[in-house]
Amino acid sequence: MEGKEEDVRLGANKFSERQPIGTAAQSQDDKDYTEPPPAPLFEPSELTSWSFYRAGIAEFVATFLFLYISVLTVMGVVKDKTKCTTVGIQGIAWAFGGMIFALVYCTAGISGGHINPAVTFGLFLGRKLSLTRAIYYMVMQCLGAICGAGVVKGFMGKTRYGALGGGANSVNHGYTKGDGLGAEIVGTFVLVYTVFSATDAKRSARDSHVPILAPLPIGFAVFLVHLATIPITGTGINPARSLGAAIIFNKDKGWDDHWIFWVGPFIGAALAALYHVVVIRAIPFKSK
């Protein structure tokens, strides 16, 4: 019992020096920067810790809520032919960005607030979490996304849900698959680059005089990327979001270009991780 209570006290960030995120990233009293050690590839002790499974549950619930709100918003816009009585593209972008802001804020102290396999993949490449935790997060994120889209279908009804496209991602008319892939790569790069920058311990120490709430720039990045790429792909930048909608919609439209919404985000996340490690972390640190 004491061990379990200790796990709960430590939370998901057992290795907090490797996973600063949210307000935890700005709570260090010591302003002198110490290079955090990389997360091990495998961490067997995680599998016996309640905090590990609690973090996965948090990722499941967060991704479930994310898909529920965002896809329901998309459905509300698509059903109106004129779009004049709906929130429009700007409203969709705000729904996605706002939910990410709220959910990252709520789950940062439990799981790190990834809510996106591409973010998890990028942080794994940046040695912020173990392979075991990365795979576990991705599975829970995808399951949460499927359930979230399923609830939306239950509310809308099978016929209307199918007629409105189910919120599934696809390359829109007038754009090529290459256009869609490029949009997903760049959009995910913007998101994961923002995640790295907003949660970097070196930046927190160097710019400690500037209060930064990490979920805010992350959510705003999602909002801006959606504004730019909704006309091209409907904006994926989150493989779990695309998978959940595709599985529940389950028509050719959702599957024809589905590979783009995995390959693009993973390439974008890898490039962001590489840029962070090679360029950002290489900047000399000067304490103020």
Side-chain angles (χ1 to χ4, degrees):
M1 181 60 71
E2 291 183 358
K4 183 176 180 180
E5 291 177 351
E6 179 68 9
D7 285 339
V8 173
R9 186 183 68 80
L10 289 172
N13 296 326
K14 178 179 178 182
F15 306 99
S16 57
E17 71 279 5
R18 290 199 295 263
Q19 303 182 58
I21 193 166
T23 54
Q26 296 95 42
S27 62
Q28 301 173 11
D29 294 328
D30 187 0
K31 305 306 180 184
D32 292 330
Y33 178 75
T34 302
E35 188 71 26
L41 184 61
F42 296 102
E43 186 65 33
S45 62
E46 288 183 323
L47 300 177
T48 61
S49 171
W50 162 241
S51 64
F52 176 78
Y53 299 100
R54 185 174 69 120
I57 295 171
E59 288 293 311
F60 173 89
V61 172
T63 316
F64 168 85
L65 294 174
F66 176 60
L67 264 288
Y68 169 72
I69 295 296
S70 58
V71 173
L72 200 57
T73 303
V74 172
M75 295 287 94
V77 172
V78 174
K79 73 178 182 180
D80 192 314
K81 294 182 179 180
T82 66
K83 308 294 186 295
C84 294
T85 59
T86 69
V87 294
I89 289 179
Q90 293 87 349
I92 293 175
W94 274 120
F96 278 88
M99 280 303 292
I100 288 298
F101 166 64
L103 293 171
V104 170
Y105 182 86
C106 292
T107 60
I110 304 173
S111 65
H114 297 189
I115 323 171
N116 185 337
V119 170
T120 299
F121 180 66
L123 292 175
F124 165 70
L125 293 180
R127 302 297 301 276
K128 301 294 184 180
L129 73 165
S130 68
L131 177 62
T132 308
R133 185 178 290 269
I135 293 175
Y136 177 50
Y137 277 14
M138 291 182 190
V139 171
M140 297 301 283
Q141 289 159 359
C142 289
L143 291 176
I146 294 169
C147 292
V151 170
V152 174
K153 183 176 182 179
F155 284 170
M156 300 294 293
K158 182 178 180 180
T159 302
R160 184 164 55 164
Y161 182 84
L164 297 177
N169 289 119
S170 63
V171 178
N172 292 323
H173 181 70
Y175 295 95
T176 66
K177 294 184 186 297
D179 295 333
L181 180 62
E184 289 296 307
I185 291 174
V186 175
T188 310
F189 178 89
V190 171
L191 169 60
V192 179
Y193 174 38
T194 303
V195 170
F196 273 114
S197 297
T199 62
D200 183 51
K202 179 184 289 187
R203 177 182 180 133
S204 175
R206 182 177 60 244
D207 302 332
S208 58
H209 62 291
V210 180
I212 299 175
L213 184 64
L216 182 58
I218 295 171
F220 197 63
V222 171
F223 165 70
L224 293 175
V225 171
H226 275 75
L227 282 182
T229 59
I230 282 177
I232 304 174
T233 62
T235 310
I237 67 171
N238 185 333
R241 173 261 188 271
S242 300
L243 178 66
I247 287 178
I248 300 302
F249 181 54
N250 199 28
K251 293 184 179 180
D252 290 343
K253 176 187 176 183
W255 294 116
D256 287 345
D257 305 320
H258 187 68
W259 64 272
I260 290 174
F261 303 100
W262 283 88
V263 176
F266 273 59
I267 293 176
L271 292 175
L274 178 64
Y275 181 76
H276 175 75
V277 171
V278 174
V279 179
I280 304 302
R281 297 305 294 273
I283 295 175
F285 171 71
K286 294 182 180 180
S287 176
K288 293 184 178 181

